[in-house]
Every structure is written in C-alpha cells, then in structure tokens.
Amino acid sequence: MITTQELTGMVLAGGEGRRMGGRDKGLEPFAGLPLVGHVVKRLEGQVAELIINANRNADAYRFFADRVIADLVLDGAEGGFKGPLMGIYSGLRAAKTPWLLVAPCDSPALPDDLVARMVAGIASDNGEHDIAVAFDGQRLHPVVALLRTSLVDDLAATLAEGERKIDRWYDRHNWCRVDMSDCPDAFANLNTEEEKLRLESVLMDALNKEAT
C-alpha cells in the first residue's frame, strides 16, 4: 500500500480559464474560499508535499501549497499554457516521491477520502498498475489520477512528439479505473460563471440543511 510519505499531491491550476472570461479559475471565490482551497482541503495532511501547478498568480497560490510550479518548457518549444498533460509532466518532474496524485482546481466537491480511495483503487486487483484514473460510473476523469513519477521521461518523449491528449498517453501504460460511482456529482468541474453559481447554490443549500 502506498504510504503518505510516498505521495505528492498536486492541484492543476495552470489553465487559461477561457470559458471563465480568461479569469484564473483556481482563485475564483466559491462558498467562502477560492476554488483551489476546496481541492487543497481534500489533499492536505494526506500527502508528503502539496504542489500547485499554476502559470500565473504564483504568489496568491503559495498560500495554499508547499510549492507552486509553472509548466516546464520542453527543448525547442514555446512557454505558456500547454494544457493539463504538460501540467502533469511538470508535476512528475517536480515530485520527490514515487507517486503523484493529481486533481483539478475546478472540482470543489471532490470526495473527502479521495486520496485513500485512489490509493486503494490502484492496488485493488493485485495488478502492477502505473496509473489509476477516477471513474464516476459513466465517464473517466483523467485529471483525477494517481501516477508513478518514474513515468516522467516517457511523458517527456511523448510531449516532444506533439501529443497533448491525456487518454492516449494513459493507454500506452498499465492503467486502471477507480470506481467512484457512488458519488458522481463530486466530480463536477466548473468551466463557466453559471456552472460555478449553480453548484455553489446546491452546496450551500446542503450545508444549511445539515446545520438545521
């Protein structure tokens, strides 16, 4: 079983937020915290180090993590916003542990026991898996994943070939899905202001009912 000391957690917050009007999604206010703060709460205390992958506003993100890293630049490539696979590569390169657990900054309702479930899931069928991906019963969530950091050189070569599709890279390796079908709503990700306000309302209503 993977222990806490073997695990780095990383929140992906390196996107452009185009459908959010270009705003930095991770810092968008949501139910009393920036979105990234809700995801950090699902990881803190359960990993040896917590990293945030961000390509802007690094000072703001440092409040929430042990380290903030930007996307790395491959030889001969331009810098900037290169998508989640580049963020994962940057995290694999930065991690000091054998395993990296990745989650997106725009999924504030992730399960509280996400880390434990991902760790249990990768070992559940006695396979020697390199990657585990959350599955909500209907669809995979490729940016909620647990990966061996030893995959970093293979991913570097894949990116250098121009590949940017996460699922195609996963398919090159021994991966498994982790069943999260009991809580599919936990994986809602927020791409627009309307989606953010809708989920915020749902969550606040649920909290108010619990309080009464």
Side-chain angles (χ1 to χ4, degrees):
M1 187 67 74
I2 301 167
T3 67
T4 297
Q5 294 308 309
E6 295 176 299
L7 189 58
T8 297
M10 183 175 72
V11 182
L12 290 167
E16 293 179 276
R18 281 176 290 182
R19 284 183 283 178
M20 197 75 78
R23 303 198 301 272
D24 194 336
K25 277 201 293 185
L27 299 176
E28 282 289 296
F30 182 89
L33 278 176
L35 277 172
V36 71
H38 292 275
V39 183
V40 163
K41 286 171 65 176
R42 270 60 176 184
L43 305 180
E44 61 186 0
Q46 302 173 70
V47 295
E49 186 179 28
L50 183 57
I51 297 172
I52 293 176
N53 165 235
N55 290 310
R56 51 183 167 164
N57 299 316
D59 287 343
Y61 281 115
R62 285 192 185 98
F63 178 78
F64 296 97
D66 297 308
R67 277 192 290 160
V68 178
I69 62 167
D71 285 350
L72 294 174
V73 179
L74 296 174
D75 291 343
E78 296 180 357
F81 301 92
K82 294 296 184 181
L85 194 57
M86 184 62 79
I88 290 172
Y89 166 69
S90 303
L92 291 173
R93 188 66 76 190
K96 303 172 184 176
T97 59
W99 293 92
L100 177 72
L101 179 68
V102 178
C105 69
D106 58 357
S107 294
L110 288 169
D112 290 331
D113 59 350
L114 176 69
V115 175
R117 294 180 70 159
M118 294 299 291
V119 167
I122 205 166
S124 62
D125 61 0
N126 300 314
E128 288 295 322
H129 297 297
D130 298 316
I131 302 169
V133 182
F135 177 65
D136 69 8
Q138 293 193 334
R139 49 189 294 263
L140 289 165
H141 294 273
V143 290
V144 181
L146 178 61
L147 310 97
R148 290 187 193 272
T149 54
S150 58
L151 296 172
V152 63
D153 290 335
D154 178 86
L155 182 50
T158 301
L159 289 165
E161 295 167 0
E163 181 62 78
R164 293 295 182 269
K165 294 289 188 181
I166 296 178
D167 51 356
R168 286 204 292 254
W169 180 64
Y170 286 172
D171 283 341
R172 293 171 52 153
H173 298 282
N174 189 2
W175 70 276
C176 65
R177 61 182 61 184
V178 178
D179 184 11
M180 303 273 188
S181 57
D182 61 311
C183 55
D185 293 341
F187 294 89
N189 64 309
L190 310 180
N191 290 308
T192 67
E193 180 72 14
E194 292 73 21
E195 289 173 352
K196 187 187 80 163
L197 293 173
R198 190 180 310 119
L199 182 59
E200 187 174 34
S201 176
V202 169
L203 291 182
M204 293 304 289
D205 285 347
L207 288 173
N208 289 335
K209 288 178 181 178
E210 289 178 9
T212 57

